[in-house]
Amino acid sequence: MNGLFSNAAARSAQRSANASLADLTAAVGVSGLAFAQNNPGFLSVIDQHAAGVRDSLSADARPLTAILLAAYAEGVRDAAFQHGWQAPEGEIDWTGDDWVLRRLLAVCTLARTLPPQR
């Protein structure tokens, strides 16, 4: 019986992580990735942030998962809010130097590399 509940909890965590990453992609990823396509310098900065995220999550020792990425993004947002950061309202100005938005966009780029869920 214990395995049944463990599997249910794992499926629930996976669904929650996928939903969180989908929300993040809608809020940040779509516009950020569109901006990056036309701005190679910006794309390079996002790639550097993605490498930083991978390092933080020890992705060289364990595979990235939706759960890890969603938890990382939530941690970044929580820490940013505690330090006075405010999420932009409306359209995001990607020309600004907002570390938090760039880090969250890096999470979105990494989420795109995850294998599709069955």
Side-chain angles (χ1 to χ4, degrees), residues 51-65:
V53 172
R54 290 181 65 79
D55 287 347
S56 293
L57 296 174
S58 301
D60 57 335
R62 62 182 176 177
L64 286 176
T65 65

Side-chain angles (χ1 to χ4, degrees), residues 26-57:
V28 174
V30 173
S31 68
L33 293 171
F35 182 79
Q37 285 180 346
N38 299 318
N39 296 280
F42 181 75
L43 182 57
S44 176
V45 169
I46 299 307
D47 286 344
Q48 290 172 358
H49 275 276
V53 172
R54 290 181 65 79
D55 287 347
S56 293
L57 296 174

